[in-house]
Structure formats: C-alpha cells, structure tokens
Amino acid sequence: MRPDQTAVNWIAVDWGTSNLRVWAMGAEGIIGTASSDDGMGQLSPDQFEPALLALIAPWLGKGVTPVIACGMVGSRQGWHEAPYRAVPCPPLDRAGLVQVPVQDARITLHLVPGLKQMKPADVMRGEETQIAGALALHPAFDGVMCLPGTHSKWAQISAGEVVSFQTYMTGELFALLSEKSVLRHGMTGKGWDDAGFEAGLSAALSRPDRIGAQLFSLRAEGLLAGLSPEQERARLSGLLIGVELAAAKPYWLGQPVTLIGDESLCQLYARALSVQGVEARLLPATECTLAGLASLARPLETTS
Amino acid sequence: MRPDQTAVNWIAVDWGTSNLRVWAMGAEGIIGTASSDDGMGQLSPDQFEPALLALIAPWLGKGVTPVIACGMVGSRQGWHEAPYRAVPCPPLDRAGLVQVPVQDARITLHLVPGLKQMKPADVMRGEETQIAGALALHPAFDGVMCLPGTHSKWAQISAGEVVSFQTYMTGELFALLSEKSVLRHGMTGKGWDDAGFEAGLSAALSRPDRIGAQLFSLRAEGLLAGLSPEQERARLSGLLIGVELAAAKPYWLGQPVTLIGDESLCQLYARALSVQGVEARLLPATECTLAGLASLARPLETTS
C-alpha cells in the first residue's frame, strides 16, 4: 500500500528482536503497512534510522511525522535505551516516552519504555503496549491477561494498572527442544495431534514437578512405542504449556483469562485453560499493539 | 602409548555420539589408549570400520584381537543395531552381545546392547556398561546409582539386576539454555559461584512446579539486580539439577547414592544430595566402563 502522504498523521512501529513492522496511520486508522527482518538483534546503533527510513520514507511528506516505536528497539542493546518503568503502574505513560534524536528532519521518534518488577524480578518490552491496547479496547477491564509467545507473560490488571506479572520461557523452550535437542529426531515436520497435546498437558498439570523426566520419555516412547512425530511434537507443546499453567495457577485459578497473541497459539492456551474450567477471551496481538500505540499518538499528533 | 602388539589381549571401545575412545587391554589392564572425534553422529555405516582402525591398527598383531564396543555405536543410526534388552535384567549379558561382520580379518567386533524399560518408557546405551562395571568393582552392591551427564540416568539395582531406571535431560537443557537461549546473554564465560548454585538448587527443590517461571527470573535478575555471569550460570545449574532431584526423589529418598560420571559434575550432585541429607559415593566413569567391558571380554579372549 502506498497511501497519500498528506493523510499520514503518525507512524506506528513494533520493533522486536527479529522483525520490524510499521503502519501508516491516518484519521480513520491503518492506511499503509510494511515490514522487514531488520530486527533489533541484527542492527548496530547507526543502522536503526536507515532501517526505519527504508520502510517509512514513502509515507513522509513536507511536515514532520511523529513515529512511535515499542519493543526491543528500546532495550540497552537497541537504538536507544528507554528505561523500564516499575509496576504497579499503568502499562503506558506519555511522560515515560523517550524522544530519540534523529538525522532526518521529516520525523520525530519516541520509544515506549518496558515494565519492570523488582520482586520477583521480571521485565517486559512490547507486551506493555499490547496490554494498554487491550485496556483501550476494553476500558473497564479488571483481571488477568496472558500473552503467549517466545516468552509468555501473565499479568494482573487492576484499575488500569499492571499490578504484577510473570514471564515463562515456554515458546523458546519449545523451539530449542523441538529443533536442537535429542527430541528433534522424533518430531520432524510441523504435524500436530490433539490427543498428544492433551496427554502432555494433563501429565504436566498433574505432576509439574516431574517435567525433568517427562521430556526424555517423549524420546523413549518414540523409540519403543512408535509415538508418531505429530504425537511427539504436540505432546511436547502440551507438556511445556502445562508446566507454565501449573506455575501460573495463582493468576488464572477461578478467573477468566484474556489471551493476547498469535491466534493459533492462543487457541491452544484457550483449550488448555478450558480443561481447567477456565474461560478465555482472545484478542488479536496486532490490533492491541496498534491500539496501545494510538493511545500515545493522539497528543503527539496535535503538538508536533 | 604404543604397546607391544603381542601383549594386547583385547580392545575396549566406548563409542558415543560425539567421541570415540579406545583402550588396548593386556593381562594387567590398560596398556594403551587413544581417542578421536569420530563419534557415531558424524559417521555413515561404511565409515565406522575405517574410523576404528585409524585408532587401533598399531595394536593389531598376527592373531585375531577381540574388540568390544559399548555406546551409541549400537543404535539404529550407528554401525549396526544391537537391540535393547528389557529390564529387569543384569546390566550386561554375554548372550546379548551382537557380533558384527568386519572386513579386517585381524579383529572380531562385538557390540553391547543398551537397556529398555517399557513403562514408563525409557532407554539407555552405554550407561548399562558403567553400571555393570560398578557392580564388578562392588559385587555386593544393592541400591541406587545415578549417572549424571547430558542425559542423566537414575537406576535401582537389586541382586545384580537393573530393576528400573529414569532419564533426565538435565545436561542437554543446561547446554541449550546457557548457550542458545536468551539466558546466554547473562552467563558469558565458564565462571562459577557456589552460593548461586545453592540458591538455584533450593528454589527448584522447594518449588519444582515453578521451574517455568524460575528460568526467566535469571535473566530479569541479571538485568535488574546485577546478578553476575558466574551467579547466573551456577544458579541455572542449581535449578536444573534441583528439578532433576525433585523428580528423582523416589530413587534417593532415605538411601545412599552411588554417582558415576565426570568427577566435577558428580561433585555437584554429591553436594546437592548432601543438602538433602543423602550420602553419595563417587565412582569414576572410565574405570566403570572398562570394568564393565572387561567382564564381557574374559570369555572372548579365551575363545577367539
């Protein structure tokens, strides 16, 4: 999409470790979108501005366009550090935005800070924007949000503030175990098996303390009992999500959960929660990210 | 070492996924040793015999020298499959040896089969030889052995038989998490911190069901509380060994444990067990491997 430059009020940026995604925002919402694999992890400090301009230059006009970016771009290894804000606090705060000097006079750039929790120690960057977006879409929300992913986050939300949160390395463990460990031999391909997922989930939820033994059992059952690659893969997913749910029990026990993230992953979490009698509502991640950034953009649009 | 060929009675081989180690054995024990990185994982079927001969050729004389090999060389992806024997059974059994045809007339080759357990499904290859060696060194032994490593094994031994066993992916998880995951950023180098190890151990043993959350805490404490690389690395080790011990509790509770493996790793396990009031005895892995293979070699030496 190549929108009319004069219609672009501001630019939304989600800049993670592996990807850069940008949206041209007009009065009625999204009017253009682009992405690249210039993630924070691949760039040195002086490469950030060119990587951004490579995507957004077609949207820039004669005036100054505000750009607001969330995600790992604001980490110490990113473009410029946007120091964590400490919970309990609202997920976003205009006063916490960090303006970064840029070479190109056609833009201003603001980075969104992540959140930190001192005890137990925890951090997030990017998810605070999705949480704020979910709150913008559902202002009366009070309760528990879960953002499944590489590093899944569980957050307790009350009166518009993130009260506490907890991170689980579930997605990263799944990738490492299914692609780099001895278990990879038994789970070639991308196949899936619902019964395998449920078996893993139930094993991990009933005996999460036995996860150390349950993992190698996958390999052994593949060798001895002819477990199929689909079954092994789905059971590994069930085991890891089950261990996460076991540890996150104080968050979801007896409460509905709002899931924000990749839809098929959220569906898995919703199924796992429903086995525990917990109702889940799904919100799409991108919609939340944009709603969160938009809540910060409004004053910038009028003042820039 | 280049021993007198006539003094070599037989050749012991420990052939794992990553390494090949060989010993020339004489009447009084070891008279030569060699190793290479021609592990099972790097070889196609026709490369095994040349890889072996590259190390043992200097030891071969005019007669036929028996070669006995344990480890992954006998797996389906190895030189030739030596089918698993089912527990409960003695760790080694001469009748279970699989003779493999070889091109070179100066040797005979026998592969040691691994052990399998149908419920819960589990397998071992190589450790059965160390267990047999430990029993050869301590014939009256009855109780629990633990073989820490990439895939740690716990085994219940009674009346000379392996009654049951259980595998934990502890060593492989440590390697993946410390080298390939987000945690790697906080644990550069090979440093160590005893207090960090004990903190991880205690956290995992008291709440093994919370391992999912405890892992990312390492990263967050590194960022927020200035945890040193030594502390992070040692605490990760403590967490993973702690989760293993939590699941292996039925093996060690109220019983002394015999540890077989790399000495510094066994020392860590011994320390972890002593915190639980469990006494540990250490046996060196290579001595056990050779004692196990020697228990099979005696009849072959006289009949070959």
Side-chain angles (χ1 to χ4, degrees):
Chain A
M1 259 188 288
R2 182 143 185 174
D4 173 11
Q5 295 153 350
T6 58
V8 177
N9 293 349
W10 65 285
I11 292 169
V13 178
D14 181 6
W15 208 328
T17 304
S18 319
N19 292 289
L20 167 58
R21 297 190 302 156
V22 298
W23 294 264
M25 305 299 290
E28 305 293 322
I30 305 170
I31 54 177
T33 179
S35 65
S36 77
D37 53 6
D38 279 332
M40 179 279 290
Q42 285 85 56
L43 303 176
S44 58
D46 59 343
Q47 295 177 311
F48 282 90
E49 189 169 338
L52 177 64
L53 288 169
L55 292 186
I56 67 167
W59 301 337
L60 302 180
K62 283 176 192 155
V64 175
T65 306
V67 177
I68 309 177
C70 66
M72 293 302 285
V73 64
S75 70
R76 207 169 299 168
Q77 294 77 36
W79 188 341
H80 191 287
E81 188 174 1
Y84 295 111
R85 295 164 57 236
V87 296
C89 65
L92 295 180
D93 176 10
R94 218 159 281 141
L97 282 180
V98 172
Q99 183 161 7
V100 177
V102 287
Q103 312 259 314
D104 194 307
R106 294 173 297 169
I107 58 171
T108 59
L109 174 69
H110 288 85
L111 299 184
V112 177
L115 299 184
K116 67 180 172 185
Q117 175 178 277
M118 297 312 286
K119 236 178 160 51
D122 216 324
V123 292
M124 66 166 72
R125 256 191 210 284
E127 293 89 352
E128 74 293 327
T129 304
Q130 297 182 330
I131 292 172
L135 284 174
L137 298 168
H138 303 279
F141 182 88
D142 221 273
V144 174
M145 293 186 186
C146 167
L147 298 88
T150 305
H151 299 154
S152 296
K153 310 279 178 187
W154 286 78
Q156 180 72 46
I157 312 293
S158 182
E161 295 200 332
V162 177
V163 177
S164 69
F165 65 100
Q166 178 87 62
T167 304
Y168 300 84
M169 292 177 60
T170 308
E172 185 163 21
L173 280 170
F174 182 77
L176 286 172
L177 288 168
S178 65
E179 292 165 21
K180 311 267 184 211
S181 86
V182 69
L183 302 183
R184 74 185 184 280
H185 299 299
M187 44 187 78
T188 45
K190 295 279 169 198
W192 192 259
D193 176 79
D194 283 340
F197 176 72
E198 270 153 34
L201 193 67
S202 143
L205 271 164
S206 61
R207 291 299 305 271
D209 57 314
R210 291 190 49 72
I211 184 68
Q214 288 159 338
L215 291 174
F216 191 78
S217 287
L218 280 177
R219 174 68 181 144
E221 283 195 42
L223 288 166
L224 301 181
L227 212 60
S228 72
E230 293 73 25
Q231 286 171 315
E232 284 195 46
R233 190 177 176 76
R235 200 156 100 191
L236 175 63
S237 171
L239 281 173
L240 295 175
I241 292 178
V243 169
E244 176 182 332
L245 290 187
K249 207 171 199 168
Y251 280 94
W252 54 259
L253 196 65
Q255 302 207 59
V257 172
T258 294
L259 292 162
I260 306 174
D262 170 76
E263 197 187 331
S264 59
L265 184 59
C266 284
Q267 296 284 7
L268 282 185
Y269 275 68
R271 210 153 103 218
L273 286 166
S274 96
V275 175
Q276 303 301 308
V278 173
E279 191 193 330
R281 173 161 65 170
L282 276 59
L283 290 180
T286 300
E287 197 176 323
C288 289
T289 300
L290 290 175
L293 290 171
S295 72
L296 294 166
R298 267 164 231 130
L300 295 176
E301 288 178 70
T302 56
T303 59
S304 292
Chain B
M1 259 189 290
R2 181 142 186 174
D4 174 12
Q5 295 154 352
T6 58
V8 178
N9 292 350
W10 64 285
I11 292 170
V13 178
D14 182 6
W15 208 329
T17 303
S18 320
N19 291 287
L20 166 58
R21 297 190 301 157
V22 300
W23 294 265
M25 305 299 288
E28 305 295 320
I30 304 170
I31 53 178
T33 180
S35 65
S36 76
D37 54 7
D38 279 331
M40 178 279 289
Q42 285 86 56
L43 303 176
S44 57
D46 59 344
Q47 295 176 311
F48 281 91
E49 189 168 339
L52 178 65
L53 287 169
L55 293 185
I56 68 167
W59 301 337
L60 302 179
K62 282 175 193 155
V64 174
T65 305
V67 177
I68 309 177
C70 66
M72 293 302 285
V73 64
S75 70
R76 207 170 296 167
Q77 294 78 34
W79 188 339
H80 191 285
E81 187 174 1
Y84 295 111
R85 296 164 54 237
V87 297
C89 65
L92 294 180
D93 177 8
R94 219 158 282 140
L97 284 180
V98 172
Q99 183 160 7
V100 176
V102 287
Q103 311 259 313
D104 194 306
R106 293 172 298 170
I107 59 171
T108 59
L109 174 70
H110 288 86
L111 299 185
V112 177
L115 299 184
K116 68 180 173 185
Q117 174 178 278
M118 297 312 285
K119 233 175 164 54
D122 217 323
V123 292
M124 66 166 72
R125 256 191 209 284
E127 293 89 351
E128 73 295 326
T129 304
Q130 297 182 331
I131 293 171
L135 285 173
L137 298 168
H138 304 280
F141 181 90
D142 222 274
V144 174
M145 294 185 185
C146 167
L147 299 89
T150 305
H151 298 155
S152 297
K153 309 281 178 185
W154 287 78
Q156 180 72 47
I157 312 293
S158 182
E161 296 200 334
V162 178
V163 177
S164 68
F165 66 100
Q166 180 87 63
T167 303
Y168 300 84
M169 292 177 61
T170 308
E172 185 164 21
L173 279 171
F174 182 77
L176 287 172
L177 288 167
S178 65
E179 292 165 20
K180 311 266 184 212
S181 85
V182 70
L183 302 183
R184 74 185 185 280
H185 300 298
M187 45 186 80
T188 45
K190 294 280 169 197
W192 192 258
D193 175 80
D194 283 340
F197 177 72
E198 271 154 32
L201 194 67
S202 143
L205 271 164
S206 62
R207 291 299 306 272
D209 57 315
R210 292 191 47 74
I211 184 68
Q214 289 159 340
L215 291 174
F216 191 78
S217 287
L218 280 177
R219 175 68 181 146
E221 283 196 40
L223 289 167
L224 300 182
L227 212 60
S228 72
E230 293 72 26
Q231 287 171 316
E232 283 195 47
R233 192 178 175 75
R235 200 158 100 190
L236 175 63
S237 171
L239 281 174
L240 294 174
I241 292 177
V243 168
E244 176 182 332
L245 290 187
K249 207 170 200 170
Y251 279 95
W252 55 259
L253 195 67
Q255 301 208 58
V257 171
T258 293
L259 291 162
I260 306 174
D262 169 76
E263 198 187 331
S264 59
L265 185 59
C266 284
Q267 296 284 7
L268 282 185
Y269 275 69
R271 212 155 100 216
L273 286 166
S274 95
V275 175
Q276 302 302 308
V278 172
E279 190 193 330
R281 173 161 66 170
L282 275 59
L283 291 180
T286 300
E287 198 177 322
C288 289
T289 301
L290 289 176
L293 290 171
S295 74
L296 293 166
R298 268 164 228 130
L300 295 176
E301 288 179 70
T302 56
T303 58
S304 293

